[in-house]
Structure formats: C-alpha cells, structure tokens
Amino acid sequence: MTKEEMPACPVATTVRLIGSKWKLLIMRNLLTRPWRFNELRNSLDGGSQKVLTDSLRTMEKDGIVIRTVYPEVPPRVEYSLSELGESMRPILESMETWGKSYQAIVLADNT
C-alpha cells in the first residue's frame, strides 16, 4: 500500500491489509507453518484459484507474506508469514478467542 493509499484511521489500515475473508484464512494457515499453493487452495473451501493468487500477491506486495521459490524440477513454491505478518499473530489469536466465545453463546442460546 502506498502512502497515498493508506487510510488516516489505523483500524482502517489494518482492515485494508487483512480484512478480506480469504486473507484472514490464509494468515490463519500460515501461522502454523509454511504452505504450498495447492495446500492453501485445498484448505480454503469456496475460494477460487484466482482469488487465492490475487490475495497472496497483494499480501506479498504489502510485506505480510514471503514467497519462496525452490530451484527444483518441478519448481516448489512455499508461502510463509514475514516478520510483519507474524506480528499480527496476537490480533488473529484474539479473533479466534472472541469467535469461540461467540460460538459458545450462540450454541447455548439454541439449546
């Protein structure tokens, strides 16, 4: 994101960087280990190859994801979180905690 594209509000900046459903799910996976493209695609139900490719490219451009190409035949490509991406771990962990609490409330209300 360029300086001109950056919102004045810090929350809006964060949402712009990771606010899409697919980016959050990609980050959720990458918090555990590096993933190959097909692994990510198979783990994201409903996400097209184009959406995954676009999301990964944007995240790489924004400095959140590192794309590593290994000189093998066929080429092996892995995606991992950069140091900047890793710094978002507490945010995603808080979202997970809140989501679990919300699910428990909803499930308790439906019984």
Side-chain angles (χ1 to χ4, degrees):
M1 173 179 339
T2 66
K3 187 176 178 181
E4 294 77 28
E5 295 172 326
M6 193 168 307
C9 172
V11 173
T13 300
T14 305
V15 169
R16 182 127 184 229
L17 288 170
I18 64 164
S20 81
K21 171 185 177 179
W22 303 114
K23 287 180 182 180
L24 286 169
L25 295 177
I26 291 166
M27 289 188 70
R28 172 204 63 192
N29 288 4
L30 295 180
L31 283 171
T32 61
R33 62 176 173 82
W35 287 63
R36 294 177 72 173
F37 182 87
N38 284 332
E39 288 180 305
L40 285 168
R41 189 180 71 203
N42 293 335
S43 74
L44 303 175
D45 291 334
S48 71
Q49 182 169 335
K50 180 181 179 346
V51 169
L52 178 57
T53 298
D54 291 347
S55 296
L56 286 167
R57 282 183 183 157
T58 302
M59 294 169 77
E60 184 181 9
K61 181 179 155 227
D62 291 335
I64 295 169
V65 167
I66 297 170
R67 180 178 185 264
T68 305
V69 180
Y70 295 93
E72 300 173 356
V73 177
R76 178 171 53 110
V77 178
E78 286 185 345
Y79 295 89
S80 59
L81 290 177
S82 66
E83 190 174 324
L84 181 63
E86 187 64 40
S87 73
M88 295 175 136
R89 181 179 292 274
I91 295 167
L92 292 160
E93 288 174 346
S94 292
M95 291 174 73
E96 179 184 21
T97 300
W98 187 90
K100 285 179 180 178
S101 297
Y102 180 78
Q103 288 173 336
I105 291 167
V106 169
L107 290 172
D109 288 345
N110 290 331
T111 57

